[in-house]
Amino acid sequence: MFAVLKTGGKQYKVQSGDTLRVEKLAADAGEKVQFNEILMVSDDDLVVGSPLVAGAAVQAEVIDQVKGDKVINFVKRRRKHSSKRTKGHRQKLTLVRITDILASGADASGVKAAVGAGSVPASQTATTATAPKAELATGSADDLKKLSGVGPALEKKLHAAGVTSFAQIAAWTPEDVADMDEKLSFKGRIEREGWIDQAAKLAKG
């Protein structure tokens, strides 16, 4: 039996017993987490989601929090007084071991949802994958379009990453910013637009 899960903007084909590195999750070593975004499950029959397989999930045990290989980003602007900038980054990752693949009944498993650590500060980590959706449904989410450079499409991407409030953005660390740059595919925008300072002011009202 295998499944194809989605986390951190990437897809992984997994089987029970597999070990893999995923983008950092808000979980400690030894904790059990559940991936709820399942694109495909194969048991006796192959089930393909549209886009997700209803009721399916993949459960895993967190082994450790690790860092990926260092990536060097070199930028040279020859028309701007030959300015140069070199930045190094090591992506924070979570090492997990797949323990179970559920073809159905995931909603009633009671296992903590696997939530990206860069999406929600530790003090506000959601315990289920439906928390951001619930906030949107009840209207408790902030209007993120008030941030400079954020339109409806970018706001939707932030919601998909679990970001629904100014308080979350105001609490981002440099590592969180790097993670969100990757997820939003707009490298440097968060710093250029000053989202964190804007969010801090908007959170205070």
Side-chain angles (χ1 to χ4, degrees):
M1 182 175 186
F2 74 85
V4 176
L5 64 88
K6 179 181 177 183
T7 179
K10 301 178 181 67
Q11 298 177 13
Y12 303 87
K13 179 182 177 182
V14 298
Q15 293 179 304
S16 181
D18 285 354
T19 300
L20 67 153
R21 299 191 304 173
V22 300
E23 287 203 22
K24 186 177 180 182
L25 303 176
D28 297 324
E31 278 192 82
K32 194 170 184 178
V33 296
Q34 178 170 293
F35 297 95
N36 293 307
E37 292 186 274
I38 308 303
L39 307 177
M40 182 187 300
V41 174
S42 175
D43 191 0
D44 295 330
D45 298 313
L46 180 65
V47 181
V48 179
S50 56
L52 303 179
V53 180
V58 171
Q59 295 180 352
E61 180 185 357
V62 176
I63 299 174
D64 197 7
Q65 300 288 357
V66 298
K67 285 187 177 182
D69 296 333
K70 191 168 188 178
V71 177
I72 302 296
N73 181 29
F74 177 73
V75 178
K76 180 178 181 180
R77 301 179 180 85
R78 65 187 180 90
R79 290 187 176 85
K80 291 189 176 181
H81 308 290
S82 298
S83 67
K84 301 177 183 179
R85 183 182 67 179
T86 302
K87 295 179 70 176
H89 172 68
R90 293 185 66 189
Q91 183 71 37
K92 290 189 175 182
L93 304 169
T94 300
L95 187 64
V96 300
R97 181 182 296 108
I98 305 301
T99 56
D100 295 292
I101 296 176
L102 306 179
S104 62
D107 296 340
S109 69
V111 177
K112 172 183 175 180
V115 179
S119 304
V120 186
S123 60
Q124 301 176 28
T125 300
T127 55
T128 68
T130 58
K133 295 180 182 178
E135 289 184 2
L136 295 174
T138 58
S140 60
D142 292 331
D143 182 5
L144 302 182
K145 294 190 295 296
K146 292 181 179 180
L147 295 171
S148 176
V150 177
L154 196 49
E155 183 183 46
K156 188 175 181 180
K157 284 188 176 182
L158 286 166
H159 287 165
V163 181
T164 59
S165 72
F166 296 129
Q168 288 174 248
I169 298 174
W172 280 350
T173 65
E175 289 79 11
D176 295 333
V177 170
D179 289 342
M180 293 307 298
D181 273 343
E182 294 289 339
K183 292 177 182 177
L184 300 178
S185 301
F186 287 114
K187 285 192 175 181
R189 168 170 285 191
I190 296 172
E191 293 181 348
R192 286 196 307 271
E193 303 287 357
W195 284 9
I196 294 177
D197 290 338
Q198 290 182 48
K201 292 176 183 177
L202 290 166
K204 294 178 181 179

